[in-house]
Amino acid sequence: MRKRHLIFFTRAALYFVIVFCAITSLVNAQTTTLTTLPNPPYNGGNTLTGPSQVTFVLSNTNPFPVNLTGISSWCTTVENGSIWQLYFTATALTGTSTDVTAAPWTLVGTSTATTVTAAGITPLNFAGLSFAIPAGTQYRFALRNLGPGSTRYSGLGTAIAPNTFIGGGVNLHNGDFQIAGVNVGYSGSGTGLTLTPRYFTGAVSFAPAGPCTNPPTA
């Protein structure tokens, strides 16, 4: 009798896992993109010469992790062929920084050369990008252009609205959005973050991260 119960519960557990994974796979097929358009007020009209960066925060309010799969930035033909880097920090969510290429910042990835044929929000070539943001977690990102061209952003020290974009259970916080009373959106040339509020102008894409194995394991 005990053996029969064990077989029943094992089969029931496996059935549940298969159904759950099927549902999760269906959900995972749905990619969400948050964009800072319309334009204006997000016109990407401001730059810093040479290598430079702009920051924003992604807050995952879902009860499951999501994978950041794509990032775009406002570019012009001046940025044709540019190489980009994406850094993140889990602790320095606001304020200035002297060097986004050093701790507590961590490199997420470096793009290949990005082709820009016209001014606008342009997908950056971070091949195979799949960066996990855990459930109930917020990370600050620094998008950095190594050249040619510059990192383009909106805002020159004055607030523009909205400063938050919401979709798929993720919040994109920008510019003068504050955590603990300090802005999240900074920009700066070289490796530093010195100017605020500055508004990342572009788009981010993400999808739910699936926990399933193939074949399913009860």
Side-chain angles (χ1 to χ4, degrees):
M1 182 66 70
R2 181 177 300 175
K3 184 177 181 180
R4 290 181 180 177
H5 286 171
L6 179 60
I7 293 174
F8 171 79
F9 285 119
T10 300
R11 289 177 176 174
L14 182 58
Y15 174 78
F16 171 79
V17 171
I18 292 173
V19 171
F20 176 78
C21 288
I23 294 173
T24 302
S25 298
L26 181 61
V27 172
N28 285 350
Q30 299 176 354
T31 297
T32 300
T33 298
L34 299 179
T35 178
T36 60
L37 289 176
N39 170 32
Y42 281 84
N43 57 17
N46 305 314
T47 65
L48 291 170
T49 58
S52 55
Q53 46 278 326
V54 64
T55 62
F56 57 92
V57 166
L58 291 180
S59 176
N60 179 18
T61 67
N62 291 297
F64 50 81
V66 298
N67 286 335
L68 178 64
T69 58
I71 186 164
S72 304
S73 180
W74 187 278
C75 296
T76 70
T77 54
V78 175
E79 282 73 51
N80 185 46
S82 57
I83 304 295
W84 298 79
Q85 290 181 323
L86 184 65
Y87 290 84
F88 92 100
T89 176
T91 56
L93 298 178
T94 63
T96 62
S97 178
T98 57
D99 190 351
V100 299
T101 69
W105 296 88
T106 301
L107 179 66
V108 174
T110 300
S111 78
T112 56
T114 296
T115 300
V116 184
T117 58
I121 291 180
T122 303
L124 307 180
N125 291 334
F126 286 97
L129 178 63
S130 183
F131 179 75
I133 305 175
T137 299
Q138 51 190 357
Y139 287 155
R140 190 185 190 196
F141 293 88
L143 181 62
R144 173 174 168 80
N145 186 7
L146 299 179
S150 183
T151 304
R152 296 181 179 269
Y153 58 88
S154 300
L156 276 177
T158 57
I160 61 177
N163 64 9
T164 296
F165 302 85
I166 301 173
V170 173
N171 300 332
L172 165 59
H173 298 309
N174 218 349
D176 65 334
F177 181 89
Q178 295 190 340
I179 298 175
V182 183
N183 290 349
V184 303
Y186 278 71
S187 186
S189 57
T191 61
L193 298 172
T194 57
L195 305 171
T196 193
R198 297 296 189 265
Y199 296 78
F200 162 71
T201 303
V204 294
S205 297
F206 56 89
C212 295
T213 60
N214 187 16
T217 301

